[in-house]
RNA sequence: GCAGUUAUAGUACAGUCUGGUUAGUACUCGUGCUUGCCAAGUACGUGACCCGGGUUCAAAUCCCGGUAACUGCACCA
């Protein structure tokens, strides 16, 4: 299904909707999750924990969203996360100073240069607004971080633009107190904040968004000593280095030099296995190797995990080999020691990052799962059962003759074990359709026969098949069917 | 941030050009009846003109400003 259909479902069924929508000063780039969206998000994260965190023996932390100025001085975000921008005094169009100057006057000025250099180049080359020929004002730095004032003195601090800085600054304590050993993965789920110039398309470009980030700390001299590599050597990943993505096993990716070492190949492998289990069609995915111009300022090697949707390729995960960029910057700035012992060797660990955009991933799951079943005139959200916000609908065929009471009784026994939804009202077909739209894989219906022999019918979402089972079997059937793989 | 388009119930749309009675339709939603396993029927019901200002006897409708969404451009560390 396309963006429009997913949006309609999201609004009608409580997946997500605009923030503060009752007020006219609501800002762009802020959306909230409703009950169905939260259900899906929680289960997605549980799967992430199982498939990446627990599988690899990582630690998870939960850091502050507001962090001090020094953190971002050290991380480079105060300097590099800002673009030099120029604004036309006539038509208000905003451009990046470095790019506009390069295009018009063919002069390369690095984006980190002094602001005067841009102004001088603009004056000397008489650069005007390409749109209206108006004059540009002076160059300014536009920083994408939200600044906040702490306490009555309003001390300068920032909302984090990525979650991972807590992981870096916490690394020395965690390594010591948690008895760390390289390679060590530290993960965090939480919100990040970026003051985007033009937020667009609901969950796909937000100013406040969820990330699930993993930073794996490693000894840079032992990147090919990865025993776990055997687990994924035959896992197929799709890698794009130039025109087209090519399917290959992790082993082939390594041997052909497409992926630089076993360490990186291993994580690309388990990441693909994770996304396969979310129900996203990974045959429409690719790890796109980024060129020097596209890479973030901290990245040495970078692969974007992208998935094809009806609105084009979407970047869901950034995989960056950040080397010792972060730890050495924080060591220098804080004067703390970030080296650790790896066997008998003292090393400043390198970092491989798997930075996942949760909101975009959820959108992609919805788009890839939503089906129009024309034969039965219904929309079906074919989520993996373990990701569904509602595992099972508990329905009475009719309310009367004691069926309602019997249904309530079954619901009462089940509601703490599974995400169950009780529904008595309206035609049975309509209730099935509603459950189909929020992706509930099962519906249990109580009918007159139930009162005679204690059996119910259980209906499957995708096939619409029904079978009759004893009430005592419900628990074990559901447990087996909606459990995580 | 620029340009264009748009903004009416939970959703999708009509009405606005040409200001004027109770803002209409479909689906949805709630309650009853009916049927008794796949959006049926039936009756009743809930529910909306994006926000602010102006013009006018009178504004959902005209004008100005704001906000948001969509599309394109630019941006996306």
């Amino acid at each position: 299904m396309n963006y429009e259909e997913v949006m309609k479902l999201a609004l009608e069924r409580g997946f997500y909707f605009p923030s503060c929508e009752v007020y006219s000063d609501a800002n762009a780039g802020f959306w909230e999750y409703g009950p169905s969206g939260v259900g899906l998000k929680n289960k997605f994260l549980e799967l992430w924990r199982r498939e990446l965190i627990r599988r690899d023996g990582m630690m998870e932390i939960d850091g502050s969203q507001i962090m001090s100025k020094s953190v971002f001085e050290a991380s480079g975000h105060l300097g590099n996360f800002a673009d030099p921008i120029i604004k036309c005094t006539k038509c208000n169009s905003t451009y990046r100073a470095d790019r506009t100057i390069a295009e018009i006057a063919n002069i390369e000025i690095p984006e980190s240069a002094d602001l005067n250099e841009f102004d001088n180049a603009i004056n000397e080359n008489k650069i005007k607004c390409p749109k209206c020929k108006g004059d540009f004002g002076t160059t300014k730095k536009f920083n994408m971080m939200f600044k906040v004032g702490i306490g009555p003195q309003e001390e300068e601090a920032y909302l984090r633009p990525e979650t991972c800085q807590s992981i870096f600054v916490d690394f020395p304590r965690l390594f010591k107190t948690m008895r760390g050993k390289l390679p060590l993965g530290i993960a965090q789920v939480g919100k990040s904040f970026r003051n985007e110039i033009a937020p667009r398309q609901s969950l796909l470009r937000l100013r406040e968004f969820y990330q699930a980030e993993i930073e794996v700390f490693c000894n840079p001299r032992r990147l090919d000593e990865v025993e776990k590599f055997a687990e994924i050597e035959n896992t197929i990943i799709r890698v794009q280095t130039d025109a087209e993505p090519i399917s290959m096993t992790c082993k082939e990716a390594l041997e052909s030099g497409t992926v630089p070492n076993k360490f990186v190949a291993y994580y690309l492998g388990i990441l693909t296995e994770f996304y396969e289990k979310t129900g996203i069609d990974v045959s429409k995915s690719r790890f796109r190797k980024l060129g020097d111009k596209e890479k973030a300022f901290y990245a040495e090697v970078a692969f974007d995990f992208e998935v094809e949707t009806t609105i084009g390729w979407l970047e869901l995960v950034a995989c960056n080999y950040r080397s010792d960029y972060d730890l050495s910057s924080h060591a220098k700035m804080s004067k703390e020691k970030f080296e650790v012992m790896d066997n008998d060797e003292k090393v400043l660990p390198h970092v491989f990052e798997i930075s996942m955009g949760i909101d975009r991933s959820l959108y992609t799951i919805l788009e890839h799962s939503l089906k129009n079943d024309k034969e039965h005139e219904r929309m079906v959200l074919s989520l993996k059962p373990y990701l569904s916000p509602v595992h099972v609908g508990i329905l009475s065929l009719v309310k009367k003759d004691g069926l309602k009471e019997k249904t309530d009784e079954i619901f009462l026994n089940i509601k703490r074990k599974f995400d169950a939804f009780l529904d008595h009202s309206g035609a049975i077909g309509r209730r099935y359709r509603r459950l189909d739209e929020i992706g509930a894989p099962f519906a249990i219906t109580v009918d007159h026969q139930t009162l005679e022999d204690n059996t119910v019918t259980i209906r499957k979402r995708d096939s619409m098949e029904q079978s009759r089972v004893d009430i005592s079997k419900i628990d074990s059937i559901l447990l087996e069917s909606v459990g995580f793989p």
Side-chain angles (χ1 to χ4, degrees), chain A residues 264-283:
Chain A
V264 170
Y266 169 72
Y267 287 104
L268 300 190
I270 64 172
L271 187 64
T272 300
E273 289 186 3
F274 162 71
Y275 269 108
E276 199 155 21
K277 289 179 180 169
T278 65
I280 286 176
D281 181 358
V282 294
S283 71

Side-chain angles (χ1 to χ4, degrees), chain A residues 160-297:
Chain A
R160 60 185 181 190
E162 52 179 11
T163 58
C164 60
Q165 291 305 322
S166 342
I167 295 176
F168 300 135
V169 300
D170 292 350
F171 174 73
R173 167 181 289 273
L174 290 170
F175 197 87
K176 283 176 207 156
T177 60
M178 298 286 108
R179 304 169 63 217
K181 262 176 87 178
L182 298 184
L184 173 67
I186 304 181
Q188 179 174 205
V189 175
K191 275 198 166 163
S192 291
F193 306 83
R194 294 179 193 181
N195 201 357
E196 295 283 353
I197 295 172
R200 279 286 162 90
Q201 289 171 315
S202 55
L203 297 190
L204 305 184
R205 203 132 148 237
L206 294 159
R207 288 187 165 131
E208 175 180 338
F209 60 100
Y210 282 103
Q211 288 186 300
E213 290 197 297
I214 292 169
E215 308 296 323
V216 190
F217 297 87
C218 57
N219 182 337
R221 277 173 292 279
R222 308 177 103 188
L223 295 176
D224 279 305
E225 298 172 32
V226 183
E227 280 173 34
K228 296 171 286 192
F229 184 77
E231 289 176 30
I232 52 86
E233 63 182 4
N234 294 318
T235 297
I236 291 173
I237 58 174
R238 289 167 56 77
V239 188
Q240 180 170 345
T241 49
D242 32 50
E244 288 292 320
I246 299 166
S247 296
M248 56 184 91
T249 64
C250 288
K251 199 175 179 183
E252 287 164 353
L254 181 71
E255 283 165 0
S256 64
T258 313
V259 174
N261 51 56
K262 275 188 180 176
F263 183 74
V264 170
Y266 169 72
Y267 287 104
L268 300 190
I270 64 172
L271 187 64
T272 300
E273 289 186 3
F274 162 71
Y275 269 108
E276 199 155 21
K277 289 179 180 169
T278 65
I280 286 176
D281 181 358
V282 294
S283 71
K284 292 181 177 169
S285 74
R286 66 182 181 197
F287 285 102
R288 196 167 59 86
K289 198 171 190 174
L290 300 190
D292 286 342
K293 282 194 176 161
E294 277 185 294
K295 284 188 302 194
F297 60 84

Side-chain angles (χ1 to χ4, degrees), chain A residues 17-67:
Chain A
F17 46 84
S19 175
C20 311
E21 59 180 338
V22 299
Y23 284 107
S24 60
D25 62 348
N27 294 112
F30 299 90
W31 291 70
E32 19 220 62
Y33 288 103
S36 309
V38 169
L40 175 62
K41 176 162 74 68
N42 287 343
K43 286 170 175 134
F44 173 83
L45 288 173
E46 175 60 18
L47 185 69
W48 173 80
R49 289 190 172 97
R50 284 168 179 262
E51 295 297 315
L52 295 162
I53 308 308
R54 291 182 206 152
R55 174 172 185 174
D56 196 50
M58 301 179 185
M59 314 175 178
E60 185 179 345
I61 64 163
D62 188 358
S64 300
Q65 298 182 338
I66 297 175
M67 302 180 84

